[in-house]
Amino acid sequence: MQTEFTIATQGPGFHDITSAVAAWVQGTGVRGTGLLTLFVRHTSCSLLVQENADPDVRRDLQDFLERIAPRADDPSMRWLRHTTEGPDDMPAHLRAALLPVSLSIPVTDGRLALGTWQGLYLVEHRDAPHRRRVAAHLSP
Amino acid sequence: MQTEFTIATQGPGFHDITSAVAAWVQGTGVRGTGLLTLFVRHTSCSLLVQENADPDVRRDLQDFLERIAPRADDPSMRWLRHTTEGPDDMPAHLRAALLPVSLSIPVTDGRLALGTWQGLYLVEHRDAPHRRRVAAHLSP
Amino acid sequence: MQTEFTIATQGPGFHDITSAVAAWVQGTGVRGTGLLTLFVRHTSCSLLVQENADPDVRRDLQDFLERIAPRADDPSMRWLRHTTEGPDDMPAHLRAALLPVSLSIPVTDGRLALGTWQGLYLVEHRDAPHRRRVAAHLSP
């Protein structure tokens, strides 16, 4: 069984998709075990499993991404070649290389086997609004 | 077929889970092909496939993680907001964002298709002892 | 259904395996949905989904890898212990820890659900020529 999730984004940040994904898994009627795979169909945003409790964790993660792969208009990034799509584009590809493009999560007793503090996030790396598509596949 | 592995950790470092995982795969009686998925149910430790020969490789990887995402009491990390859970907590989330939360490994002739030098590791990022749970799913 | 792809590499860089992988998926005769998993059987090269349009994106990604995990003969890397296999070996393991070892991609209507700008790459991290093996598994 497959579906596709669409997430409208408004600049860099974390979008919690846990409820939408869990609702789809339950809606398929799977009762026993299974395997959910998510795949983001873009190269300038990412999927991530991260802490769902303190929002400061996501803020610190966002700052970390901006420090590890700064924008192209930062003096430390003068070595970048691919700058024609804006100062946020090539850093978006760099961040997308470091974070997951696909995630696989077992389903047990009809539910995602996420830990207590784990949320599923679409992480946007671009400045402009985007509609992001995440393909989902549920195997028995 | 599913199971859950529990790994008791005592501070940051690599725990080799290759034998435990391989033994479970063989114990399922799978003879032909299959697909093993591992998923760690936490946001402050990771899964990793890495070299299983020279232990210095893991030591260097551990030092690399400490350099790329230093502890919160390092002067370079004063920008962190989420510090209430100790100086090892937010760096653990940063490292967990960079390393895999899930791994998928084909099974061929009833065996994991790992390369000669590949081992499966649970990488602990926290200081305190933890019991880490890794969900496993074997698809036909 | 399973196969193994072999990629001959000649030093660090990106090898586009999209066509080879897509051709194998189509050759299996899968018509509806499925799930493709790729797994690279080495610890000093990686798989990556990245932009397939401007080659400068891959050049910048390559430079980024060389900056985030420089060669062992770079003065900033004197802390490395594992240097007996050459100045390119331990950085190769570091880069392999940051990029994917496995990828899972849904198949829809018999085709990989890759986005328009997504290509599949084998990223070589070592200097010497290598024959790299990528295991592939297609689930229904």
Side-chain angles (χ1 to χ4, degrees):
Chain A
M1 276 167 290
Q2 295 191 336
T3 193
E4 190 172 88
F5 299 97
T6 303
I7 300 104
T9 65
Q10 305 275 349
F14 286 65
H15 294 257
D16 193 334
I17 60 172
T18 319
S19 301
V21 173
W24 177 71
V25 168
Q26 291 198 282
T28 64
V30 58
R31 286 161 189 271
T33 62
L35 180 70
L36 173 75
T37 298
L38 299 176
F39 176 79
V40 65
R41 303 181 66 193
H42 310 275
T43 63
S44 56
C45 61
S46 302
L47 297 171
L48 194 64
V49 175
Q50 263 295 338
E51 214 216 54
N52 57 13
D54 182 357
D56 277 348
V57 170
R58 271 105 68 197
R59 291 190 193 106
D60 283 346
L61 275 163
Q62 182 62 39
D63 282 3
F64 179 69
L65 293 174
E66 288 170 18
R67 284 164 180 267
I68 205 168
R71 292 166 61 89
D73 47 14
D74 186 284
S76 69
M77 298 301 277
R78 289 204 182 108
W79 55 272
L80 288 176
R81 298 170 186 83
H82 178 80
T83 53
T84 50
E85 294 182 63
D88 62 318
D89 187 62
M90 192 60 222
H93 292 305
L94 301 179
R95 297 169 195 179
L98 296 179
L99 301 189
V101 67
S102 67
L103 292 172
S104 294
I105 307 170
V107 173
T108 309
D109 297 332
R111 290 171 164 275
L112 291 170
L114 291 171
T116 310
W117 309 108
Q118 287 182 313
L120 291 171
Y121 296 90
L122 182 286
V123 189
E124 178 59 70
H125 303 311
R126 295 300 307 274
D127 289 349
H130 279 82
R131 286 175 66 79
R132 301 305 201 172
R133 296 185 297 162
V134 176
H137 179 93
L138 183 64
S139 312
Chain B
M1 275 168 291
Q2 295 192 336
T3 193
E4 189 173 270
F5 299 97
T6 303
I7 300 105
T9 64
Q10 304 275 347
F14 285 65
H15 293 257
D16 192 334
I17 60 173
T18 319
S19 302
V21 173
W24 177 71
V25 169
Q26 290 198 283
T28 63
V30 59
R31 286 161 190 274
T33 61
L35 181 70
L36 174 74
T37 298
L38 299 175
F39 176 79
V40 64
R41 304 181 65 195
H42 309 275
T43 62
S44 56
C45 61
S46 301
L47 296 171
L48 195 64
V49 174
Q50 262 294 337
E51 214 216 57
N52 57 14
D54 182 358
D56 276 349
V57 170
R58 271 105 69 198
R59 291 189 193 105
D60 283 346
L61 275 162
Q62 181 62 40
D63 282 3
F64 180 69
L65 293 174
E66 289 170 17
R67 284 165 179 269
I68 205 167
R71 293 166 60 89
D73 46 13
D74 186 283
S76 68
M77 298 299 277
R78 288 205 183 107
W79 54 272
L80 289 176
R81 296 171 187 84
H82 179 80
T83 54
T84 48
E85 294 183 61
D88 62 318
D89 186 61
M90 192 59 223
H93 292 305
L94 301 180
R95 298 171 194 178
L98 296 179
L99 301 189
V101 67
S102 67
L103 292 172
S104 294
I105 307 169
V107 173
T108 309
D109 297 333
R111 289 171 165 275
L112 290 169
L114 291 170
T116 310
W117 310 109
Q118 286 182 313
L120 291 171
Y121 296 91
L122 181 286
V123 188
E124 177 60 68
H125 303 310
R126 297 299 309 274
D127 289 349
H130 279 84
R131 287 175 66 78
R132 300 306 200 172
R133 296 185 297 161
V134 176
H137 180 93
L138 183 63
S139 311
Chain C
M1 277 167 289
Q2 294 191 336
T3 193
E4 189 173 89
F5 299 97
T6 303
I7 300 105
T9 65
Q10 305 275 348
F14 285 66
H15 294 257
D16 193 333
I17 60 173
T18 319
S19 302
V21 173
W24 177 71
V25 169
Q26 291 197 283
T28 63
V30 60
R31 285 160 192 274
T33 61
L35 181 70
L36 174 74
T37 298
L38 299 175
F39 177 79
V40 65
R41 304 181 64 194
H42 309 274
T43 62
S44 56
C45 61
S46 302
L47 297 170
L48 195 64
V49 174
Q50 263 295 336
E51 214 217 53
N52 56 13
D54 182 357
D56 277 348
V57 170
R58 271 105 69 198
R59 290 188 194 106
D60 283 345
L61 274 163
Q62 182 62 40
D63 283 3
F64 179 69
L65 293 174
E66 289 170 17
R67 285 165 179 267
I68 204 168
R71 292 167 60 90
D73 47 14
D74 185 283
S76 70
M77 298 300 278
R78 289 204 183 109
W79 55 272
L80 288 177
R81 298 170 185 84
H82 178 80
T83 54
T84 50
E85 294 181 61
D88 62 318
D89 186 62
M90 193 59 222
H93 292 305
L94 301 180
R95 297 170 195 179
L98 296 179
L99 301 188
V101 67
S102 67
L103 291 173
S104 295
I105 307 169
V107 173
T108 309
D109 297 331
R111 290 171 165 274
L112 290 170
L114 290 170
T116 311
W117 309 108
Q118 287 183 312
L120 291 171
Y121 296 91
L122 181 286
V123 189
E124 178 59 71
H125 304 310
R126 297 298 308 272
D127 289 349
H130 280 83
R131 287 175 65 79
R132 300 306 199 170
R133 296 185 296 163
V134 176
H137 179 94
L138 183 63
S139 312

